[in-house]
Amino acid sequence: MNTFRIITIILISLFITKLTYAKNPSDLINEIVNQASIVLSSDDPVESKIIKLNDIAERNVDIDGIGMYTLGKYRKSISDEDKSKYQKLFKSYFLKSFSSRLVDYTDPKINVVSEKKVSDKYTIVNSVLEASKGRPEVKIDWRIYTKNPQKPLIRDLMVEGLSLARTQKEEFNSVIQNNNGDINSLFKVLEEFIIK
Amino acid sequence: MNKYLRIIILIFVSNMLFSIANAGSDGSLEMKTKSNSGEINDCFEKVNRGIFAFNQGLDKVIFKPLATGYRKLPQPVRSGASNALGNLSNVVTIPNNVLQGDFKDAGVNTLRFVINTTLGIGGLFDVASYYGLEKREKEDYGQTLGTWGVGEGCYFVLPVLGPTTVRDSLGSVANIMGGDTWYNVTIANDTQYFNEADYYLSKVMSGVDFRAKNLESFDSLERTSLDLYSSVRSLYLQDRRKKIQNLDEITETLSDDDWEEVDAQ
């Protein structure tokens, strides 16, 4: 009986711990938006802002997952060696592309309006980027991967319903396809972008 | 003009036939599947890339500077122009609401058009929204064909006008075959109130208004794209598919097995 009590206590405490650390997808987006807003509205030099933004992205975005997704059909035929090279290149490309898009904004106001669990693994968080200086209001939906509820990760951004991950996938596939299916052609343009 | 129109129609029809021939034994079924799965049917990619480069040049020299200048106008002027152009688009949206069986939106859009054209002084002010008649999504003949199950066919790029598909081009042809009242009263028929210049001015203004609203987005896309042509193609096709399905969230309905595969790895 004592053993049973101990097991029950352990299970309950484990459950409570899980509840305590499970992060709500909307909270994740609010947190990221607040962190990014502090960085972008600061007087730090651009280089410092980029480092901080990249740090936020590395902690909250599933960069490896997006990288694999964007390879599309070529994911199946790539060798392990090329896969590892690609993942390194993609991470550098992603972070550079991500920070250079954001750094133009001085203080973006993004408000989370709702969230919808679409499957066991995904929740879509709906938000709105407020209109400013001639830019209209923009709807931004975040695809959050919630397989591990303690560490939800961003996998896609849908700007006015248009998926950035899908756009990226079709762009990468176009580069490879137009070079006779040679994955090295993608590596080359990624490298050129990174050193640009 | 008639000869020019005939040539355009011939190009569209042959393009359509080409895409059906490419679609295999059950053309319509496969085209529909392709459209839903997000596959791209870029039949004349080399030519399209050439036209795209030409359009990019035009944009740099004409449209971007115009849009940048337009953005400097006071906000009320830009809002007024945008409202008037949006109001005018109702003459195409309303018949398409009806063709898609969406009679409620057809009614709301008709009321909006009447109120904004009269009380809103030619559509400059969105008085209808003040009375609780909120703005609805725009509809066109390309979208109607899509809702009827017509596949998008080949993707291609038109000089000046930009990205389109066979289905969307057929939709545009419907505009000039009597489906657009604004075209009918400015170009197709001689009226004492409007002329051809009014129609072309409204089209140029729509382009500039759209470009002005997306100046930063285009710059950002240009800066971060590895292949701008394929990014624009992807965004155009996603946008059209989303509009045809009248979706707010593309992720829920467009199949994308790649995420499932990534998860399984």
Side-chain angles (χ1 to χ4, degrees):
Chain A
M1 192 62 188
N2 258 349
T3 319
F4 178 72
R5 234 184 264 165
I6 290 166
I7 291 172
T8 312
I9 289 168
I10 290 171
L11 282 176
I12 289 173
S13 51
L14 274 176
F15 180 69
I16 290 170
T17 314
K18 195 173 177 182
L19 276 183
T20 313
Y21 288 100
K23 201 184 253 181
N24 179 294
S26 292
D27 292 344
L28 170 77
I29 301 306
N30 277 323
E31 241 178 70
I32 296 169
V33 168
N34 288 339
Q35 288 169 7
S37 180
I38 291 168
V39 174
L40 290 166
S41 56
S42 73
D43 295 328
D44 291 352
V46 174
E47 292 76 17
S48 161
K49 283 184 183 178
I50 288 174
I51 291 169
K52 287 176 184 169
L53 289 172
N54 285 350
D55 180 52
I56 296 171
E58 282 191 70
R59 278 186 282 117
N60 300 296
V61 180
D62 182 10
I63 300 176
D64 283 346
I66 299 172
M68 281 297 108
Y69 168 84
T70 49
L71 267 184
K73 62 181 179 186
Y74 297 101
R75 186 175 49 247
K76 291 171 192 159
S77 53
I78 191 171
S79 69
D80 286 344
E81 193 187 337
D82 280 345
K83 192 182 279 183
S84 141
K85 185 178 179 186
Y86 169 74
Q87 278 179 322
K88 276 182 203 153
L89 282 172
F90 182 78
K91 187 175 176 185
S92 304
Y93 161 78
F94 179 88
L95 293 174
K96 184 171 180 184
S97 162
F98 167 80
S99 52
S100 75
R101 278 178 209 217
L102 265 187
V103 91
D104 288 342
Y105 291 88
T106 45
D107 188 14
K109 298 257 185 311
I110 296 178
N111 303 313
V112 170
V113 287
S114 61
E115 70 170 50
K116 189 174 181 183
K117 189 175 176 180
V118 290
S119 72
D120 286 342
K121 286 184 277 186
Y122 290 108
T123 296
I124 304 292
V125 175
N126 310 108
S127 68
V128 171
L129 171 65
E130 284 179 15
S132 66
K133 286 187 216 157
R135 294 175 190 173
E137 181 183 278
V138 181
K139 272 196 246 173
I140 301 177
D141 299 332
W142 312 67
R143 180 195 269 259
I144 313 292
Y145 184 54
T146 50
K147 195 178 177 185
N148 177 358
Q150 280 80 47
K151 192 166 171 43
L153 291 167
I154 299 167
R155 278 200 157 173
D156 195 6
L157 240 72
M158 284 144 287
V159 181
E160 291 290 333
L162 309 180
S163 155
L164 295 190
R166 185 185 275 258
T167 308
Q168 194 87 80
K169 179 177 80 171
E170 287 171 0
E171 186 182 39
F172 282 17
N173 279 243
S174 173
V175 171
I176 302 170
Q177 201 172 319
N178 285 316
N179 286 282
N180 305 315
D182 183 5
I183 191 84
N184 289 302
S185 58
L186 178 63
F187 295 167
K188 191 168 167 258
V189 285
L190 284 172
E191 278 162 351
E192 282 168 3
F193 181 88
I194 294 162
I195 57 168
K196 194 161 65 176
Chain B
M1 184 67 188
N2 272 342
K3 195 179 168 190
Y4 183 57
L5 186 67
R6 238 181 276 159
I7 292 168
I8 292 176
I9 292 170
L10 266 178
I11 291 170
F12 291 151
V13 172
S14 56
N15 203 342
M16 176 78 124
L17 291 173
F18 181 81
S19 63
I20 289 171
N22 273 352
S25 57
D26 186 354
S28 61
L29 182 67
E30 196 159 325
M31 280 167 73
K32 198 177 173 191
T33 311
K34 272 188 174 183
S35 159
N36 287 338
S37 69
E39 271 185 50
I40 293 166
N41 196 8
D42 193 342
C43 308
F44 312 103
E45 188 170 341
K46 275 189 182 165
V47 179
N48 288 338
R49 281 183 183 271
I51 299 172
F52 179 78
F54 169 75
N55 287 350
Q56 282 292 103
L58 271 187
D59 180 64
K60 276 198 178 69
V61 178
I62 301 173
F63 290 108
K64 194 175 174 187
L66 272 176
T68 310
Y70 177 79
R71 272 276 282 268
K72 288 180 180 145
L73 294 173
Q75 174 66 35
V77 176
R78 277 185 283 130
S79 293
S82 195
N83 286 341
L85 292 165
N87 187 51
L88 203 53
S89 72
N90 274 316
V91 298
V92 173
T93 296
I94 294 164
N96 281 287
N97 287 145
V98 173
L99 290 170
Q100 291 173 30
D102 194 350
F103 299 107
K104 190 184 167 199
D105 275 4
V108 171
N109 281 327
T110 306
L111 276 173
R112 279 183 56 80
F113 181 68
V114 171
I115 292 172
N116 285 343
T117 305
T118 51
L119 297 176
I121 315 170
L124 287 173
F125 302 99
D126 186 4
V127 185
S129 286
Y130 176 78
Y131 287 115
L133 294 166
E134 290 299 323
K135 206 181 267 183
R136 301 294 208 260
E137 292 295 324
K138 286 181 188 174
E139 300 290 339
D140 56 49
Y141 292 99
Q143 289 178 57
T144 297
L145 289 173
T147 58
W148 290 353
V150 177
E152 65 195 11
C154 287
Y155 169 86
F156 60 99
V157 184
L158 289 171
V160 188
L161 300 175
T164 188
T165 60
V166 173
R167 180 180 59 206
D168 292 342
S169 303
L170 286 171
S172 303
V173 171
N175 282 338
I176 53 175
M177 302 290 267
D180 177 359
T181 309
W182 179 232
Y183 180 86
N184 296 344
V185 298
T186 49
I187 295 183
N189 302 306
D190 265 340
T191 59
Q192 49 181 323
Y193 305 107
F194 303 107
N195 57 36
E196 290 191 7
D198 296 322
Y199 181 80
Y200 293 119
L201 181 68
S202 70
K203 291 294 160 193
V204 171
M205 279 300 294
S206 291
V208 172
D209 185 58
F210 174 78
R211 187 70 178 88
K213 283 176 180 163
N214 292 286
L215 272 175
E216 290 82 7
S217 317
F218 275 52
D219 284 349
S220 169
L221 188 68
E222 252 179 296
R223 212 170 45 235
T224 56
S225 268
L226 300 180
D227 178 10
L228 186 61
Y229 170 82
S230 61
S231 291
V232 171
R233 181 179 63 190
S234 171
L235 290 169
Y236 175 79
L237 293 174
Q238 283 186 58
D239 185 50
R240 293 300 291 171
R241 288 165 191 163
K242 182 183 76 116
K243 283 178 175 160
I244 286 164
Q245 295 181 41
N246 288 323
L247 293 176
D248 275 337
E249 290 152 4
I250 200 164
T251 41
E252 282 189 63
T253 48
L254 285 184
S255 78
D256 200 344
D257 300 335
D258 276 340
W259 279 125
E260 296 302 322
E261 273 185 37
V262 169
D263 293 342
Q265 278 183 345

